[in-house]
Amino acid sequence: MDTGYLSSTSASKTRSRCPLQEQLLHRRNSSQNLDRFIPNRSAMDMDYAHYMLTGAKKGKENPAVNSPSREAYRKQLAETFNMNRTRILAFKNKPPTPVEAFPSEFSSSVQQAKPAKPRRHIPQTSERTLDAPDLVDDYYLNLLDWGSSNVLSIALGSTVYLWDASDGATSELVSVDEDNGPVTSVKWAPDGRHIAVGLNNSDVQLWDTTANRLLRTLRGGHRSRIGALDWNNHILTTGGMDGQIINNDVRVRSPIVDTYQGHHQEVCGLKWSTSGQQLASGGNDNLLHIWDRSMASSNSTTQWLHRLEDHTAAVKALAWCPFQGNLLASGGGGSDRSIKFWNTHTGACVNSIDTGSQVCALLWNKNERELLSSHGFTKNQLTLWKYPSMVKVAELTGHTSRVLFMAQSPDGCTVASAAGDETLRFWNVFGTPEVAKPAPKANPEPFAHLNRIR
């Protein structure tokens, strides 16, 4: 567990740094934004240059010295050099001429049938960097989320801020006192208007962000801080340091629907599947549980569907695959460092890869078969993987401390990452949103301009 939270230090930091302001000065002075010319020596024709500096001039200056054989040799040499002459300086090598493996008629027909997809450019640096002072450096919390209304929420110390991605406006949602804080988790409801805020004193607040109004406070379900939250329609699932997982129906007066008990240490990861039928939970006890909603009993507790014990460190990073409903990716902490893939119908581990560093968060690309992971020691990087080969596509660096939290924009293209270095960075890692093609016009009905007989 990380060191305790110091309110006096945090207060001084807040006064000296304004939250969620762009680091323009750092961006302008960064050496990574400068270009320099590097000559390509492999493209230099040194023989021709030497000939032009020596042989050609000597021949013109001393014509009497040249013998007929020397003159013939000089002409042949000049002809050879001029025929094979290349550019003295080049910015890059000319690409090799493609070799046709099939007849040109066949290749042209294939190209017409299936045009080649252009390779996506992945920027290696963040598009934008915002200050995030007082961000609690705690692996077990979940302090960042991006709602469907394109507003990003982040908890900094005891305050929750909202950053509107459409215009960059920042507002303060709530600031709790020291007895209840700091804020330990935030999670947007599917409607993008309501948000759940978990607190260190085991309470959960429900806010209407449009009206900026506290709707209700959920109390009594947990005995300690709420580090993990997730929504399943109107069901808010909470995970606490007490190891309990509680489903709350926020529409009714007594919200607790059922309780999942399987973890004996803090629950730090919670994710409902897209279908809403299965819940994945990870804990500091190195356990990963799969819960099935159809197995909910009338008792106070529900039995898990699968209890998975392959990880050797805390399991916080969880991500359900968007193109295969029963595929779950999970990431292990510092002494595990692996990403594992699970068939949640059978409970089988279908693949596992050692990433070499602590896995803090996972996100799937909604448009390509790719997975993005964020890491701690030693590189503090984001890594993009091709699935299922798990070949590294790119490594994104810039954070100077472990990248604890990630959130994905509603269009699925931009990723926000928050780290212990108290910065919030935005990465255009998943490309640009595809413009929807207009629907083809239907063929007009023949003789539509004529009046119908009946």
Side-chain angles (χ1 to χ4, degrees):
M1 188 64 64
D2 294 271
T3 56
Y5 181 77
L6 302 178
S7 58
S8 59
T9 305
S10 302
S12 62
K13 287 182 181 178
T14 306
R15 287 192 294 269
S16 60
R17 293 172 59 189
C18 188
L20 305 185
Q21 295 298 311
E22 189 164 7
Q23 296 183 341
L24 294 175
L25 183 62
H26 294 263
R27 189 183 179 102
R28 288 170 184 162
N29 293 340
S30 174
S31 61
Q32 63 192 5
N33 292 325
L34 301 179
D35 293 326
R36 63 191 180 96
F37 171 72
I38 303 176
N40 189 346
R41 296 190 179 276
S42 63
M44 293 182 182
D45 195 338
M46 303 303 294
D47 292 333
Y48 179 77
H50 182 267
Y51 162 74
M52 291 299 293
L53 291 173
T54 58
K57 290 184 178 180
K58 287 181 180 179
K60 291 180 181 179
E61 292 174 359
N62 302 311
V65 180
N66 294 336
S67 64
S69 60
R70 184 183 295 274
E71 183 65 22
Y73 173 75
R74 187 190 64 78
K75 289 182 179 180
Q76 185 177 2
L77 188 64
E79 183 180 358
T80 302
F81 277 140
N82 284 323
M83 288 177 60
N84 297 325
R85 182 179 178 184
T86 59
R87 294 179 62 186
I88 299 300
L89 294 178
F91 288 98
K92 63 179 180 179
N93 291 332
K94 183 179 179 181
T97 304
V99 179
E100 291 190 4
F102 300 97
S104 58
E105 297 82 4
F106 178 81
S107 60
S108 61
S109 62
V110 171
Q111 290 177 358
Q112 292 177 0
K114 188 178 181 181
K117 187 176 182 180
R119 186 174 181 180
R120 188 176 87 250
H121 171 65
I122 303 174
Q124 301 297 301
T125 57
S126 57
E127 297 294 314
R128 172 179 290 181
T129 301
L130 304 181
D131 278 322
D134 299 338
L135 182 73
V136 179
D137 188 357
D138 193 326
Y139 176 81
Y140 303 99
L141 305 184
N142 292 273
L143 304 178
L144 182 70
D145 194 30
W146 205 329
S148 59
S149 59
N150 205 20
V151 177
L152 184 140
S153 63
I154 184 170
L156 302 178
S158 296
T159 305
V160 176
Y161 292 93
L162 304 180
W163 184 80
D164 193 330
S166 60
D167 58 9
T170 303
S171 60
E172 180 180 319
L173 176 66
V174 57
S175 186
V176 298
D177 54 35
E178 294 182 2
D179 295 335
N180 299 326
V183 177
T184 51
S185 53
V186 292
K187 190 66 180 180
W188 284 100
D191 61 6
R193 172 175 176 172
H194 300 91
I195 190 171
V197 178
L199 302 179
N200 192 58
N201 69 344
S202 77
D203 289 351
V204 179
Q205 295 183 354
L206 301 181
W207 283 82
D208 183 338
T209 59
T210 304
N212 198 28
R213 181 167 63 95
L214 176 64
L215 299 178
R216 67 184 301 183
T217 301
L218 307 180
R219 293 190 175 95
H222 293 276
R223 300 185 300 273
S224 54
R225 71 179 188 180
I226 312 297
L229 299 167
D230 201 22
W231 288 89
N232 188 358
N233 293 322
H234 54 271
I235 299 295
L236 173 63
T237 305
T238 60
M241 184 182 274
D242 55 9
Q244 287 196 105
I245 300 171
I246 298 177
N247 288 332
N248 302 271
D249 189 339
V250 299
R251 302 171 301 176
V252 298
R253 183 180 297 274
S254 301
I256 297 179
V257 178
D258 48 11
T259 303
Y260 298 159
Q261 292 186 350
H263 294 281
H264 53 268
Q265 290 189 37
E266 181 168 16
V267 177
C268 49
L270 282 177
K271 281 291 188 300
W272 279 101
S273 63
T274 307
S275 65
Q277 285 300 117
Q278 291 187 332
L279 172 70
S281 67
N284 192 33
D285 49 11
N286 309 346
L287 294 176
L288 171 62
H289 285 103
I290 307 297
W291 312 84
D292 197 299
R293 194 175 181 185
S294 61
M295 297 176 60
S297 62
S298 57
N299 322 351
S300 59
T301 61
T302 299
Q303 184 69 17
W304 61 79
L305 177 64
H306 300 295
R307 182 186 181 95
L308 308 171
E309 304 178 1
D310 294 29
H311 282 290
T312 58
V315 184
K316 176 195 174 186
L318 300 171
W320 290 92
C321 179
F323 52 83
Q324 187 173 337
N326 65 328
L327 179 63
L328 174 72
S330 63
S335 60
D336 180 273
R337 304 181 302 275
S338 71
I339 299 175
K340 298 184 186 297
F341 298 89
W342 308 88
N343 181 335
T344 59
H345 287 173
T346 63
C349 181
V350 296
N351 194 12
S352 179
I353 180 170
D354 185 358
T355 67
S357 56
Q358 180 188 50
V359 183
C360 301
L362 294 170
L363 287 175
W364 285 95
N365 187 342
K366 297 178 181 179
N367 304 314
E368 302 282 346
R369 292 179 179 257
E370 295 173 342
L371 180 70
L372 182 69
S373 57
S374 71
H375 300 271
F377 184 79
T378 59
K379 294 183 180 180
N380 305 313
Q381 85 282 17
L382 285 76
T383 303
L384 183 63
W385 309 85
K386 192 70 178 176
Y387 183 83
S389 64
M390 294 306 288
V391 173
K392 284 185 182 180
V393 179
E395 281 198 347
L396 312 178
T397 57
H399 283 294
T400 57
S401 183
R402 54 184 181 174
V403 188
L404 295 169
F405 319 111
M406 287 198 303
Q408 196 170 12
S409 61
D411 61 15
C413 298
T414 305
V415 171
S417 62
D421 58 11
E422 297 187 337
T423 64
L424 177 64
R425 295 174 181 263
F426 295 84
W427 313 83
N428 186 19
V429 62
F430 289 151
T432 55
E434 295 183 359
V435 179
K437 296 181 180 179
K441 295 182 179 179
N443 294 328
E445 183 180 352
F447 313 111
H449 61 287
L450 301 177
N451 293 330
R452 293 180 180 272
I453 298 175
R454 52 176 181 264

